[in-house]
Amino acid sequence: MGFKALQKSDWVNLLIAIPAGIIAALVTIGFRLAIGGIDGLMFKDGSDITRAFNEYPLIVWPIITAVGGVVAGFILHWALRYESRNGKMPDYLDVIDKRLPGIPVVSTLLRSLSSLASIASGSSIGREGAMVQLSALSGSLLGRFTRFTSLHQSDVVAMAAAGGLAAVYHAPFAGALFVAEIAFGVTAVQRLIPLFISASVAVLTVRSVTHYAPLYLYSSAVFSPTPGAIFTVLAIGAATGILGPMFIASIDKVRRAMQPISHPALRLGLGGLAVGVVAMVSPLVLGNGFEVIDLILNNRDLHTSLGLLLLLKIVATAITVGSGAVGGLFTPSLLIGAASGALVCTCLQWLGFDPGPMGLYAAIGMSALLAATSHAPLMSIMMAFEMTLNSSLLFPLMLATAISYVVASRFKASGTYPVLTRLNARFAAKSDFENGTVAALMCPCSKMYLDATLVELVSEGLKQRTRYVYVIDREERFVGVVATNVLATGIIDGSLDKEAPIDPYIEHEFTVLYQQSSYEEAWAVFSSSPLERLPVLENAETRRLLGVITKAALLSKAKDFL
């Protein structure tokens, strides 16, 4: 089916994925260069933000992060004022999910500049948020030139977003899965093909333009499935499944606490100041955490305990994101997950277990916690796998990530992406529709006994304003229906005796449903019938009339996922 569908489709649509991936990759490279340029002006060596701050006295650190926050806040305030006049800017995931016409240029650029100011000044936030949004903008602009095809502009945005994320993390499979799993809510082959093309081309572009290497090459260590190792994997899955919702909840608490501060510059400035104070305890909380992950994976000296690093990074990220800084949570989540996995491994080593190299469990923690915060387990598994290129990690990644996702889901907490809440609601509504029976939508109905007269039946039909009146015997068994409109005319003009029995006028062959009939069965019946309501019987043997189901009730049940 997929091959035939692909043959019949417009091949130009697939070719569009190539320039979408190239442009997305160039956008991410440009954003990285902008960060490097600003850090080059601020520091002698701005390649590692956690070390660059050491060039200045400790007391200056909060000033740098606070000034960065103020600048970011003023730019964000500018963006909000623009959006108040021209409409709120939709997130690229909303554009893809709701199939909106495109992404606003000015709002995206202003918010990306705000994110750039936050990132360059050391705020604890991910770079990927602005990079992927800008990549999606490039796809939106490219989509304007594809109106001659059958491709919707939001589909080009999806391609570019997948390419942007793939270029950021050098992970084409995970980039494609991210959009498919979070924005589409499906992994249909027909929709994945252009995403794979765009993501792969984006990574190839990055390889061609920049010095390529896997972000966290960790292929030397091998995971051995010993009982201690399996237990460690299970423990990491459970721990990150609990920690993930707590991390998201801490962000929400900071956001509510800072909500009374209306001006973004003041709010982000205070947030930056607080992050600078936290950084005075450990500079490892600065930035998105990219460099610190490498230290943990390779078991290098952090000069900070894992437990303290984990706590401080959660606090710093919660303050940054909660204050309204524009950016992502991907890399901070990866760092928190790496620290969690390494901490679980260390604790078990203290207890006398020897699960193996700590870096392996740090990588497993990265995937597990990312799934707990993003609610995208497939993407999380492939992200960690593609970043480390360690084939022995695939099984424990799957196990820990699945456990973490299930545990986190039990908390019923919202994830990083609101679009997932809508998709999950649609899925739940569709699942309920597929598994539900008409008994749940059944309502009482009017009915007449078999020994009623014509005038009694017509009076009941006129009172209930129904075309048909259902007829039952004294044991409540459904006999048939009588059409009241013809009988009413006959009684009025005198051609029918109003006291006559109704038996000669009963239609015994009439469409019915049973209480255990599925919604889908009822949908099929209503789709091929002009009737607005159908009688519901107990079963085919007893044929006892229980009530009626209406087309309006069934449509209302289906509207939540249609």
Side-chain angles (χ1 to χ4, degrees), residues 30-48:
F31 195 80
R32 286 187 188 277
L33 291 175
I35 296 173
I38 296 174
D39 285 343
L41 295 175
M42 295 171 57
F43 311 103
K44 293 179 181 177
D45 180 12
S47 59
D48 183 347

mmCIF file of all heavy atoms in Angstrom, residues 30-48:
data_model
loop_
_atom_site.group_PDB
_atom_site.id
_atom_site.type_symbol
_atom_site.label_atom_id
_atom_site.label_comp_id
_atom_site.label_asym_id
_atom_site.label_seq_id
_atom_site.Cartn_x
_atom_site.Cartn_y
_atom_site.Cartn_z
ATOM 1 N N GLY A 30 24.160 28.619 11.075
ATOM 2 C CA GLY A 30 24.209 30.069 11.248
ATOM 3 C C GLY A 30 23.920 30.489 12.678
ATOM 4 O O GLY A 30 24.567 31.407 13.210
ATOM 5 N N PHE A 31 22.976 29.811 13.321
ATOM 6 C CA PHE A 31 22.650 30.154 14.707
ATOM 7 C C PHE A 31 23.817 29.802 15.624
ATOM 8 O O PHE A 31 24.139 30.556 16.548
ATOM 9 C CB PHE A 31 21.382 29.417 15.145
ATOM 10 C CG PHE A 31 20.758 29.958 16.394
ATOM 11 C CD1 PHE A 31 19.961 31.092 16.356
ATOM 12 C CD2 PHE A 31 20.978 29.349 17.617
ATOM 13 C CE1 PHE A 31 19.375 31.602 17.511
ATOM 14 C CE2 PHE A 31 20.414 29.840 18.783
ATOM 15 C CZ PHE A 31 19.607 30.974 18.724
ATOM 16 N N ARG A 32 24.456 28.671 15.373
ATOM 17 C CA ARG A 32 25.638 28.307 16.168
ATOM 18 C C ARG A 32 26.748 29.346 16.001
ATOM 19 O O ARG A 32 27.419 29.718 16.972
ATOM 20 C CB ARG A 32 26.159 26.939 15.736
ATOM 21 C CG ARG A 32 25.327 25.766 16.179
ATOM 22 C CD ARG A 32 26.044 24.467 15.829
ATOM 23 N NE ARG A 32 25.213 23.303 16.055
ATOM 24 C CZ ARG A 32 25.050 22.707 17.221
ATOM 25 N NH1 ARG A 32 25.675 23.176 18.289
ATOM 26 N NH2 ARG A 32 24.279 21.643 17.339
ATOM 27 N N LEU A 33 26.940 29.797 14.775
ATOM 28 C CA LEU A 33 27.974 30.805 14.527
ATOM 29 C C LEU A 33 27.646 32.106 15.249
ATOM 30 O O LEU A 33 28.546 32.793 15.756
ATOM 31 C CB LEU A 33 28.111 31.054 13.018
ATOM 32 C CG LEU A 33 28.699 29.896 12.194
ATOM 33 C CD1 LEU A 33 28.655 30.224 10.707
ATOM 34 C CD2 LEU A 33 30.139 29.609 12.636
ATOM 35 N N ALA A 34 26.362 32.455 15.305
ATOM 36 C CA ALA A 34 25.964 33.676 16.014
ATOM 37 C C ALA A 34 26.269 33.553 17.504
ATOM 38 O O ALA A 34 26.780 34.495 18.125
ATOM 39 C CB ALA A 34 24.472 33.944 15.791
ATOM 40 N N ILE A 35 25.980 32.384 18.097
ATOM 41 C CA ILE A 35 26.301 32.168 19.509
ATOM 42 C C ILE A 35 27.800 32.259 19.726
ATOM 43 O O ILE A 35 28.281 32.918 20.662
ATOM 44 C CB ILE A 35 25.780 30.798 19.971
ATOM 45 C CG1 ILE A 35 24.257 30.749 19.897
ATOM 46 C CG2 ILE A 35 26.246 30.501 21.400
ATOM 47 C CD1 ILE A 35 23.682 29.368 20.167
ATOM 48 N N GLY A 36 28.554 31.584 18.837
ATOM 49 C CA GLY A 36 30.006 31.623 18.956
ATOM 50 C C GLY A 36 30.563 33.025 18.802
ATOM 51 O O GLY A 36 31.518 33.405 19.486
ATOM 52 N N GLY A 37 29.970 33.821 17.904
ATOM 53 C CA GLY A 37 30.442 35.186 17.701
ATOM 54 C C GLY A 37 30.230 36.058 18.921
ATOM 55 O O GLY A 37 31.116 36.824 19.324
ATOM 56 N N ILE A 38 29.055 35.948 19.542
ATOM 57 C CA ILE A 38 28.780 36.738 20.742
ATOM 58 C C ILE A 38 29.677 36.299 21.896
ATOM 59 O O ILE A 38 30.258 37.130 22.612
ATOM 60 C CB ILE A 38 27.295 36.620 21.132
ATOM 61 C CG1 ILE A 38 26.409 37.230 20.048
ATOM 62 C CG2 ILE A 38 27.028 37.300 22.472
ATOM 63 C CD1 ILE A 38 24.937 37.044 20.276
ATOM 64 N N ASP A 39 29.803 34.982 22.078
ATOM 65 C CA ASP A 39 30.668 34.492 23.148
ATOM 66 C C ASP A 39 32.125 34.853 22.896
ATOM 67 O O ASP A 39 32.904 35.060 23.841
ATOM 68 C CB ASP A 39 30.527 32.972 23.282
ATOM 69 C CG ASP A 39 29.217 32.577 23.952
ATOM 70 O OD1 ASP A 39 28.599 33.455 24.578
ATOM 71 O OD2 ASP A 39 28.822 31.397 23.847
ATOM 72 N N GLY A 40 32.502 34.938 21.607
ATOM 73 C CA GLY A 40 33.866 35.361 21.285
ATOM 74 C C GLY A 40 34.136 36.801 21.685
ATOM 75 O O GLY A 40 35.268 37.155 22.034
ATOM 76 N N LEU A 41 33.117 37.636 21.635
ATOM 77 C CA LEU A 41 33.256 39.027 22.071
ATOM 78 C C LEU A 41 33.284 39.139 23.590
ATOM 79 O O LEU A 41 33.950 40.025 24.143
ATOM 80 C CB LEU A 41 32.099 39.866 21.517
ATOM 81 C CG LEU A 41 32.031 40.020 19.989
ATOM 82 C CD1 LEU A 41 30.763 40.766 19.594
ATOM 83 C CD2 LEU A 41 33.268 40.785 19.471
ATOM 84 N N MET A 42 32.575 38.248 24.267
ATOM 85 C CA MET A 42 32.464 38.329 25.717
ATOM 86 C C MET A 42 33.622 37.634 26.434
ATOM 87 O O MET A 42 34.029 38.042 27.514
ATOM 88 C CB MET A 42 31.137 37.708 26.176
ATOM 89 C CG MET A 42 29.900 38.456 25.700
ATOM 90 S SD MET A 42 28.359 37.540 26.044
ATOM 91 C CE MET A 42 28.483 37.328 27.818
ATOM 92 N N PHE A 43 34.140 36.566 25.833
ATOM 93 C CA PHE A 43 35.155 35.758 26.500
ATOM 94 C C PHE A 43 36.339 35.515 25.562
ATOM 95 O O PHE A 43 36.192 35.551 24.335
ATOM 96 C CB PHE A 43 34.570 34.404 26.939
ATOM 97 C CG PHE A 43 33.273 34.499 27.684
ATOM 98 C CD1 PHE A 43 32.059 34.207 27.063
ATOM 99 C CD2 PHE A 43 33.253 34.892 29.015
ATOM 100 C CE1 PHE A 43 30.861 34.287 27.745
ATOM 101 C CE2 PHE A 43 32.056 34.972 29.712
ATOM 102 C CZ PHE A 43 30.858 34.681 29.075
ATOM 103 N N LYS A 44 37.482 35.228 26.136
ATOM 104 C CA LYS A 44 38.648 34.886 25.326
ATOM 105 C C LYS A 44 38.448 33.546 24.640
ATOM 106 O O LYS A 44 38.850 33.358 23.499
ATOM 107 C CB LYS A 44 39.900 34.841 26.217
ATOM 108 C CG LYS A 44 40.305 36.193 26.784
ATOM 109 C CD LYS A 44 41.529 36.060 27.681
ATOM 110 C CE LYS A 44 41.920 37.414 28.274
ATOM 111 N NZ LYS A 44 43.077 37.300 29.204
ATOM 112 N N ASP A 45 37.874 32.609 25.369
ATOM 113 C CA ASP A 45 37.565 31.305 24.799
ATOM 114 C C ASP A 45 36.112 30.982 25.128
ATOM 115 O O ASP A 45 35.792 30.558 26.237
ATOM 116 C CB ASP A 45 38.486 30.221 25.372
ATOM 117 C CG ASP A 45 38.180 28.838 24.802
ATOM 118 O OD1 ASP A 45 37.431 28.761 23.808
ATOM 119 O OD2 ASP A 45 38.681 27.838 25.347
ATOM 120 N N GLY A 46 35.241 31.217 24.160
ATOM 121 C CA GLY A 46 33.823 31.009 24.405
ATOM 122 C C GLY A 46 33.328 29.660 23.929
ATOM 123 O O GLY A 46 32.124 29.446 23.803
ATOM 124 N N SER A 47 34.243 28.722 23.649
ATOM 125 C CA SER A 47 33.823 27.420 23.145
ATOM 126 C C SER A 47 33.095 26.597 24.199
ATOM 127 O O SER A 47 32.268 25.760 23.879
ATOM 128 C CB SER A 47 35.036 26.636 22.630
ATOM 129 O OG SER A 47 35.982 26.453 23.673
ATOM 130 N N ASP A 48 33.420 26.812 25.474
ATOM 131 C CA ASP A 48 32.771 26.088 26.570
ATOM 132 C C ASP A 48 32.319 27.117 27.594
ATOM 133 O O ASP A 48 33.131 27.693 28.326
ATOM 134 C CB ASP A 48 33.741 25.081 27.186
ATOM 135 C CG ASP A 48 33.088 24.243 28.275
ATOM 136 O OD1 ASP A 48 31.978 24.591 28.725
ATOM 137 O OD2 ASP A 48 33.698 23.236 28.689
#
